Amino acid sequence: MNCKGAISILLCIFLLTGCGGIKNIQDLTYIVAIGMDYDEVEEEYIVYLQGLNFANVAKQEGGKPVEKIPSFVGTARGKTLNLAVSELYSKSDPPIYFGHVKTLVLSQRLINSKSKEVLEEVARNRSLRHRLRIVTTEESIEEIFNIKALFNYPAVYTVLFKDKANGLAQDELQPTSLLLFLRSYYEPMGVAKIPTVTIDTSSWVSEKEFPVLFYDGYSVFQQQSFVKNIPLEDAVLLDWMVEKNIALNRPVKDKEELIAAVKLSSPKMKITYEKDKSEPVFSLEISARADLLEKLRDISADELKTLLEEDLKKQIIHLYEKGVDSKLDLLNAGEKWYRKDREAFKELEDSKHFYLKKDSLKKVKVDIQIFHFNSYEYEKN
């Protein structure tokens, strides 16, 4: 059985199980996350199911847990995903229920070798809700599924199940649903991103180190193929530019000396394309407001503004060029271009070559207006 067939059967099993007969709430094992991995040596799929006791989870609403909440991780291997899951049915009582699955975790090994097959089958299968959160990880999925939230809250309070922030998010990556990812994934130009999850063991201690989960970057795809992972620093800057409602704290340096820290509001980014080109040639204009958080050295407002703008301009160009080196359109420069000039896009599509070069970005203009000085006595020029 080929990969596509195996995945289809697996997902059908999920659906059929979720629509089974009526059960009491305590008579089911609620699966809240599914993990998928692939062992290239053994040529076997590995499936992980994270199960919680729904009654125990419900008790946590509005209050601190009085006892540790257990979570369970089911694991099985098989030559196909279907056979791997089948192994778990006979060993799961109360029976497993997939109606509350919220997150799909894909291992880096699976992304490296089977991402196209798995993602395309997941996309067309009606049995998985497209509002599922989706993440990738280089960590052990079993270890990730066993990590609790702070204060021993159950796993559903970790970043795996995080909702998108209603207001301004700050210095953090936002979750991605399968629906939003696929919308970008099938675009002919521009990138699609999945947050990567990792384990931090150094930030929190409770009698001993207390591991927590956090987003540490993106797995980035271009034209339906996985290309590479980008680290948290690049991912946060990228989100600040191309997503909405993301704020960013930035140090301001004069050469190597740290002189201030500012908070940048969500920016406006405008892309201007040169006309009659066979591929995107463009300039960027970015404008944003800033608040001064901390001042470490006396400096005029104009000098502070200039240093901040020059630093951002340098970082943006650096990020763009890193993307081009990997044949990634990180700034999504091609997204609007191909809609504006369909004939040029058709010729470009037929040529099959990557459409950006380092000199495709002609100019970057950054305009930062500092509005608040945080009660510092500040002398303006």
Side-chain angles (χ1 to χ4, degrees):
M1 183 180 294
N2 59 34
C3 174
K4 292 183 179 180
I7 296 169
S8 297
I9 294 172
L10 167 71
L11 299 179
C12 287
I13 289 175
F14 292 163
L15 176 64
L16 293 172
T17 305
C19 297
I22 297 174
K23 298 280 188 182
N24 292 324
I25 194 169
Q26 68 273 17
D27 294 336
L28 295 169
T29 299
Y30 290 87
I31 303 303
V32 292
I34 300 171
M36 296 180 180
D37 193 4
Y38 184 70
D39 185 338
E40 291 181 304
V41 176
E42 300 294 334
E43 296 184 341
E44 287 183 334
Y45 289 92
I46 309 168
V47 172
Y48 299 87
L49 303 180
Q50 185 181 42
L52 294 179
N53 182 300
F54 192 81
N56 282 353
V57 173
K59 287 178 181 177
Q60 308 314 311
E61 297 293 343
K64 182 180 177 181
V66 295
E67 58 187 23
K68 292 184 179 180
I69 305 301
S71 60
F72 290 82
V73 180
T75 308
R77 302 172 68 106
K79 289 296 181 184
T80 70
L81 286 166
N82 180 45
L83 292 176
V85 171
S86 298
E87 289 291 319
L88 287 171
Y89 276 95
S90 61
K91 301 169 185 173
S92 304
D93 285 312
I96 50 182
Y97 176 71
F98 290 95
H100 290 286
V101 174
K102 289 188 175 180
T103 303
L104 183 63
V105 181
L106 304 177
S107 75
Q108 192 62 53
R109 292 193 302 181
L110 186 77
I111 289 295
N112 290 341
S113 60
K114 297 287 182 182
S115 62
K116 192 173 182 68
E117 296 94 323
V118 171
L119 288 170
E120 290 186 356
E121 284 304 315
V122 167
R124 69 168 59 96
N125 197 291
R126 294 178 298 172
S127 61
L128 279 181
R129 292 177 297 175
H130 282 187
R131 295 196 179 278
L132 278 175
R133 293 163 186 80
I134 181 169
V135 300
T136 68
T137 185
E138 293 182 343
E139 306 277 1
S140 156
I141 293 178
E142 182 174 352
E143 191 173 350
I144 281 182
F145 279 177
N146 275 308
I147 287 182
K148 298 180 176 62
L150 290 177
F151 307 105
N152 287 315
Y153 275 80
V156 289
Y157 291 88
T158 66
V159 73
L160 286 185
F161 304 91
K162 177 182 179 180
D163 290 323
K164 201 158 189 170
N166 292 323
L168 203 64
Q170 187 155 331
D171 287 305
E172 59 180 341
L173 305 183
Q174 295 294 290
T176 300
S177 69
L178 182 60
L179 177 66
L180 292 176
F181 167 72
L182 293 174
R183 189 180 295 170
S184 302
Y185 181 77
Y186 286 109
E187 289 285 356
M189 303 178 87
V191 295
K193 304 168 295 181
I194 302 177
T196 57
V197 168
T198 195
I199 301 170
D200 174 72
T201 57
S202 61
S203 298
W204 289 92
V205 174
S206 175
E207 297 178 346
K208 58 181 182 180
E209 63 183 31
F210 194 98
V212 295
L213 300 177
F214 73 106
Y215 292 151
D216 72 332
Y218 280 126
S219 293
V220 188
F221 299 74
Q222 177 92 35
Q223 295 171 320
Q224 297 88 54
S225 295
F226 169 70
V227 178
K228 64 181 294 188
N229 289 341
I230 61 173
L232 179 62
E233 183 180 5
D234 290 343
V236 169
L237 178 62
L238 178 62
D239 266 10
W240 179 72
M241 288 191 292
V242 303
E243 303 291 342
K244 295 180 180 178
N245 299 321
I246 307 289
L248 196 63
N249 285 350
R250 295 284 297 182
V252 183
K253 293 183 178 180
D254 184 2
K255 298 179 181 175
E256 295 301 319
E257 181 188 4
L258 179 64
I259 58 173
V262 299
K263 176 183 177 181
L264 296 169
S265 65
S266 185
K268 294 179 180 177
M269 186 173 83
K270 180 181 178 182
I271 298 182
T272 305
Y273 298 95
E274 293 187 4
K275 295 181 179 178
D276 302 324
K277 298 292 183 181
S278 59
E279 55 193 19
V281 179
F282 63 101
S283 296
L284 283 181
E285 290 184 41
I286 294 179
S287 59
R289 297 173 54 160
D291 296 339
L292 178 63
L293 298 177
E294 194 172 10
K295 185 176 70 171
L296 304 176
R297 192 188 83 184
D298 285 336
I299 182 173
S300 71
D302 285 346
E303 189 179 358
L304 179 65
K305 170 181 161 68
T306 300
L307 287 172
L308 184 55
E309 289 174 344
E310 288 300 316
D311 177 60
L312 278 170
K313 179 179 175 180
K314 187 168 62 175
Q315 294 297 322
I316 290 167
I317 293 173
H318 182 60
L319 179 63
Y320 168 77
E321 292 182 344
K322 283 174 68 176
V324 173
D325 286 341
S326 303
K327 297 187 177 180
L328 286 171
D329 179 9
L330 290 177
L331 302 181
N332 284 338
E335 183 184 356
K336 292 181 181 176
W337 180 84
Y338 90 86
R339 290 191 173 92
K340 285 184 176 182
D341 195 339
R342 300 294 295 181
E343 290 187 7
F345 166 67
K346 186 67 174 60
E347 292 179 9
L348 180 65
E349 188 179 36
D350 292 341
S351 71
K352 306 293 184 186
H353 76 274
F354 184 59
Y355 52 86
L356 291 179
K357 303 179 182 66
K358 288 186 178 178
D359 62 359
S360 300
L361 176 57
K362 294 298 182 184
K363 185 178 179 182
V364 177
K365 180 181 179 182
V366 179
D367 180 24
I368 303 296
Q369 299 296 322
I370 303 175
F371 273 75
H372 300 287
F373 292 90
N374 198 20
S375 302
Y376 280 101
E377 292 183 2
Y378 211 91
E379 294 291 337
K380 296 184 179 179
N381 285 340

